[in-house]
Amino acid sequence: MTWQTYGERTVYDSPWVKVDLVDVDIPGHGRVDHHALRFPRPAVGVIVHDPYRGLLMIHRHRFLTGTRGWEVPAGGVDEGETPEQAAARETLEETGWRPGPLRHLLSYHPSNGISDQEFQIWQTDSAELVGDPDPAEADRVDWLPVARLREMVTGGLITDGMSLTAVMRFLVTRGR
């Protein structure tokens, strides 16, 4: 079953997100205006792993959901930089740690039924403390043991989608 697109119109546009109404024909349901969230740049998340300390995580407040929780360093790719450069920049800004060589783990679309947002997960196995994090980015920065992160995942205590995906991917690839 393939949806047929007949056109679209923008109802909101900013440097961060665009909202379009797409005129589509859904087989068996007819034509409807379907909301589409368009994002102009990918987002990156970073697994910073140290075999003795665990994973470098930030603890922060998210006003949209009114929650606080542990997350991987993450953010958007700025104009003129590669996703790898963005991953390094975001890690340094949010944690104060400069990541070692990064390797791409995976890319995915968190909600491809309504959004074209792309998330990329990167990983490094080393980092160097070079300064303080941006205080607007996190309440706390800490290394969490892998065993604790596994308990947090299975206990539903990591609720940020990118962070949950990144940590679960790390756990699966490490055979834990």
Side-chain angles (χ1 to χ4, degrees):
M1 152 172 93
T2 301
W3 293 18
Q4 177 67 45
T5 302
Y6 292 98
E8 60 186 76
R9 66 184 170 89
T10 300
V11 294
Y12 176 78
D13 194 6
S14 79
W16 294 90
V17 66
K18 181 169 81 162
V19 180
D20 291 335
L21 284 177
V22 184
D23 178 11
V24 296
D25 185 1
I26 303 171
H29 296 281
R31 284 176 71 166
V32 298
D33 280 335
H34 184 71
H35 290 84
L37 301 175
R38 311 281 191 193
F39 291 85
R41 58 194 181 135
V44 295
V46 185
I47 289 288
V48 181
H49 174 245
D50 179 281
Y52 303 104
R53 297 183 191 137
L55 299 187
L56 184 61
M57 304 287 285
I58 64 172
H59 192 269
R60 66 180 307 166
H61 175 255
R62 291 295 186 175
F63 78 94
L64 282 174
T65 55
T67 58
R68 290 184 182 281
W70 289 102
E71 300 179 7
V72 298
V77 177
D78 287 343
E79 189 172 329
E81 71 181 349
T82 66
E84 183 177 5
Q85 291 168 332
R89 176 185 50 77
E90 288 290 345
T91 300
L92 180 59
E93 286 176 1
E94 294 185 358
T95 69
W97 290 78
R98 178 178 293 123
L102 291 159
R103 65 184 175 282
H104 182 258
L105 287 182
L106 75 142
S107 296
Y108 67 100
H109 298 280
S111 183
N112 62 6
I114 194 168
S115 166
D116 67 357
Q117 177 73 59
E118 179 187 16
F119 284 175
Q120 294 188 16
I121 305 298
W122 293 78
Q123 181 176 336
T124 183
D125 293 317
S126 64
E128 173 188 11
L129 182 61
V130 296
D132 294 324
D134 180 337
E137 296 286 356
D139 301 329
R140 287 174 44 199
V141 176
D142 209 350
W143 292 92
L144 299 183
V146 171
R148 180 168 177 216
L149 284 161
R150 187 179 198 294
E151 292 170 0
M152 293 171 70
V153 166
T154 59
L157 300 176
I158 297 179
T159 58
D160 169 65
M162 180 185 287
S163 299
L164 183 61
T165 302
V167 171
M168 288 175 62
R169 173 65 182 251
F170 172 82
L171 293 172
V172 166
T173 59
R174 294 292 175 164
R176 295 185 167 99

